[in-house]
Structures are given as structure tokens and as C-alpha cells.
Amino acid sequence: MQKSLDSWLKEEWTPQTSVKTSTASDGTVTTTKIESDKVVTTKTAPNGTVVITTAPVVQEPEDTTPFTLQKYVDKWKTYQENQAKMKEGQPKEPSEIDKVNSLPVIGK
């Protein structure tokens, strides 16, 4: 399977390019094209001036830390502490019993 994947990558696969276009309030059109090894940004001003910049794609460093459950336990604890702080000023969500009691009564 690995050999067939390698041959497909070499012979048939072409990297996908991503193109994003945005227009600023002053009429400047910015087009960003992401290729496999570089990012090309084209800015076209309303008067016709074109500026093209090219930058290499920066790869994120690979995470080589070993898998430990303690890491996820610590994340869960931090999330629970922050969740309590985020909900501190908000009104309490109604319970399931309150929701059922608020439904209209049928047949009475």
C-alpha cells in the first residue's frame, strides 16, 4: 500500500492551490494564492498599480512529545476552571424539568 501511495504522489498528485480574494473599502483588491512551497500575494490598487509579494510557506514544528494522559487531564482541569469563570455573570440555564413544565398541556 505504501508503494502505491508513493507512486501516486510522484506521478499523479498535484498539490491543491488555495486562492483568497478580498476587497478593501478603498477599492484595493488583494489576492492571496497558497501553493505547495510559497505564498503569492497580489495587491491591485484602484489606479491600476499592481504589487506582487512572494513569501515561503512556514511549516509548523512537529510535536515530538510523547503521548501522556496527564497532559489531557491538565487541559480538562483548566477548561473546567475557565468555564466556571465564563458562566459566572450569565443567567442560569433552565433545567430539563423547567423546560418540560413550560410546555403547553394537551387535553385539559
Side-chain angles (χ1 to χ4, degrees), residues 58-103:
V58 178
Q59 298 292 334
E60 292 187 19
E62 187 175 327
D63 185 16
T64 58
T65 57
F67 174 80
T68 60
L69 287 176
Q70 187 62 45
K71 177 174 143 181
Y72 294 100
V73 170
D74 293 341
K75 283 185 178 184
W76 178 81
K77 181 181 176 187
T78 305
Y79 173 77
Q80 292 297 326
E81 291 170 354
N82 290 338
Q83 186 179 21
K85 290 178 186 176
M86 287 188 297
K87 290 185 176 182
E88 201 168 77
Q90 297 178 352
K92 182 182 172 186
E93 292 183 17
S95 67
E96 296 295 323
I97 295 172
D98 293 337
K99 289 179 185 178
V100 169
N101 288 338
S102 67
L103 293 174

Side-chain angles (χ1 to χ4, degrees), residues 46-65:
N47 61 3
T49 307
V50 177
V51 177
I52 299 174
T53 57
T54 304
V57 173
V58 178
Q59 298 292 334
E60 292 187 19
E62 187 175 327
D63 185 16
T64 58
T65 57

